[in-house]
Amino acid sequence: MAVLGKDMTFGLFFLNSVAPWKTDAEELRNGLDQIKLADELGFQSAWIAEHNARAYGVVSSTAVYLAAAAALTQNIKLGSAVSRLPLHHPLKVAEDMALVDIISNGRLYLGVGKGYDKLEFDAYNENFDNRHDKYLESLDILTTALQNGRVNYSGKFYDIKDIPIYPRPVQNPRPPIFVMVSGNDASMINAAKQGHSFVLGGIKNDDTKHKIALYRETALASGLTEEYVEEAVARSGKLLFCFVGNTTEQAEEDYREGLEWYMSERDNRPTFGVISRDRNVDYDNFLKSENTLVGSPEKVIQDIERYKQETGLNNIILWMNIGGQRQEKVIKSMKLFSEKVMPYFTNQSVLSKS
């Protein structure tokens, strides 16, 4: 069941890739300029990815970049997508993210994940095989630290004895935590049991609908109230490729350069259900994917309507700046989306039920 009476909301995803036509500094400054503009245009959220040792993602600390974005903006929610918990001490994550919540005056969305790239773990001399168990411990500690302000914990990786956590975040009882979910139902079940929101990626609409139903069922069975569960779902969304042009042909041509460079550079993981591990990119097939919204404003509206009806989710996180897209093209796409697409989904109620 979709959340009744709730308008569609739209966020933006930032991986901050350094393509051959950009320097690191240009891409990072471009990204901050895009977030500032997104705030002015009415986008609901901006999500920052975290990587190291990879040219396709050069933000090594989501907290640092989010703090910079917070100082430039007024209303937009600022999310980490994700903070890779096994690579950081959980108390340090709690302290840094509480600071971001204060700087932003309570606009932090804290997305967490375990990481997937062995090279990134090797670079920090961290054991890649321990990441799942370490992630679970870290998430427990992080949640307690942000919510209670003091941590006692004894586990396989961490032994923390009555440590107070400062500063305290603005949001009460804590900033909302988001779990990134792709193909695995277990991740959705764990998020539901813990009452965390979610961001979906790499799955088809029918699987999206299945996972949302599973989330509601599991969360309610775990003792969470229906009001709490619906608030958690209302914050949640799905990550989709997106680019808008005056015509569909123009949007497709403008998006191609950055996308194809990114796909050739990123060789360690299939991408959102549309690119295989062997990196064979069939651009025409990519454009037909359920996870792709590329075209004229009219086409993008139609594709979002299909998404809304088939998933029941009211939120979309849009990946416009993929592969270090050229700044003038991203700005044009953002403005077209704000001026031509967003108004169509204002003051609507989603009435479909499952």
Side-chain angles (χ1 to χ4, degrees):
M1 181 181 71
V3 181
L4 299 180
K6 183 179 182 300
D7 292 340
M8 293 287 293
T9 58
F10 303 98
L12 293 170
F13 175 69
F14 296 86
L15 183 57
N16 297 106
S17 302
V18 181
W21 51 85
K22 280 189 177 182
T23 66
D24 302 41
E26 285 172 335
E27 171 58 29
L28 292 168
R29 290 168 183 155
N30 285 171
L32 290 174
D33 288 343
Q34 289 166 26
I35 294 171
K36 184 176 184 295
L37 178 62
D39 185 45
E40 296 166 356
L41 293 176
F43 285 88
Q44 190 264 349
S45 58
W47 297 82
I48 309 302
E50 177 185 276
H51 288 282
N52 61 287
R54 293 290 189 184
Y56 62 69
V58 297
V59 173
S60 57
S61 169
T62 53
V64 171
Y65 204 69
L66 290 171
L72 296 173
T73 56
Q74 297 294 324
N75 300 303
I76 195 168
K77 300 290 186 181
L78 299 169
S80 56
V82 298
S83 178
R84 302 160 300 164
L85 296 187
L87 292 176
H88 309 292
H89 195 289
L91 295 190
K92 179 63 171 164
V93 175
E95 293 161 350
D96 288 349
M97 290 301 182
L99 192 57
V100 173
D101 199 50
I102 292 169
I103 295 170
S104 67
N105 195 26
R107 291 185 281 129
L108 175 67
Y109 277 174
L110 179 49
V112 298
K114 67 184 68 172
Y116 61 83
D117 187 349
K118 189 175 185 299
L119 173 64
E120 297 182 1
F121 282 74
D122 290 345
Y124 290 162
N125 293 317
E126 288 286 345
N127 189 322
F128 183 72
D129 295 330
N130 287 339
R131 72 190 188 285
H132 177 73
D133 291 341
K134 196 173 183 182
Y135 164 79
L136 294 176
E137 277 196 21
S138 295
L139 182 54
D140 285 345
I141 295 167
L142 175 63
T143 304
T144 300
L146 288 172
Q147 186 157 324
N148 299 341
R150 187 173 290 270
V151 177
N152 277 290
Y153 190 90
S154 180
K156 177 180 178 183
F157 301 99
Y158 298 104
D159 187 21
I160 302 170
K161 300 186 185 302
D162 196 31
I163 299 298
I165 307 301
Y166 298 106
R168 303 302 306 136
V170 170
Q171 296 182 77
N172 185 34
R174 57 167 171 76
I177 293 175
F178 293 74
V179 174
M180 304 299 117
V181 178
S182 53
N184 194 339
D185 278 358
S187 297
M188 199 65 149
I189 291 170
N190 289 336
K193 288 179 177 178
Q194 296 168 333
H196 299 320
S197 295
F198 54 87
V199 174
L200 300 167
I203 59 177
K204 292 184 177 294
N205 287 346
D206 57 353
D207 193 23
T208 298
K209 192 171 185 177
H210 156 73
K211 282 183 166 55
I212 296 169
L214 179 63
Y215 181 94
R216 284 192 169 98
E217 177 186 351
T218 305
L220 292 172
S222 299
L224 298 172
T225 67
E226 184 173 359
E227 180 182 9
Y228 182 97
V229 172
E230 291 309 312
E231 287 178 355
V233 173
R235 282 191 297 266
S236 302
K238 186 176 180 183
L239 179 59
L240 301 177
F241 301 95
C242 180
F243 214 74
V244 185
N246 292 322
T247 66
T248 293
E249 293 75 17
Q250 181 188 60
E252 292 174 355
E253 185 56 34
D254 284 350
Y255 201 54
R256 179 191 291 267
E257 181 183 35
L259 173 85
E260 291 188 341
W261 174 83
Y262 170 75
M263 294 308 179
S264 68
E265 179 71 18
R266 183 179 183 174
D267 60 359
N268 59 340
R269 194 185 194 195
T271 304
F272 301 117
V274 297
I275 304 298
S276 64
R277 190 175 295 276
D278 61 13
R279 318 316 296 166
N280 291 327
V281 182
D282 185 326
Y283 193 58
D284 289 337
N285 284 337
F286 164 81
L287 293 171
K288 297 173 185 176
S289 167
E290 290 180 355
N291 292 325
T292 299
L293 309 170
V294 174
S296 66
E298 296 75 18
K299 179 182 182 299
V300 171
I301 287 171
Q302 292 175 358
D303 291 342
I304 293 173
E305 280 281 20
R306 181 192 64 187
Y307 158 90
K308 182 175 67 172
Q309 296 301 323
E310 293 182 1
T311 68
L313 269 181
N314 293 299
N315 300 330
I316 302 177
I317 301 169
L318 308 166
W319 194 355
M320 291 191 186
N321 184 13
I322 189 170
Q325 296 280 355
R326 298 180 190 274
Q327 182 75 340
E328 66 276 8
K329 293 181 179 180
V330 177
I331 296 301
K332 180 180 178 181
S333 176
M334 289 173 60
K335 288 182 176 179
L336 280 171
F337 192 96
S338 173
E339 295 166 4
K340 303 293 186 180
V341 179
M342 277 190 196
Y344 180 87
F345 296 98
T346 303
N347 299 321
Q348 290 190 358
S349 295
V350 181
L351 299 176
S352 60
K353 298 182 179 180
S354 58

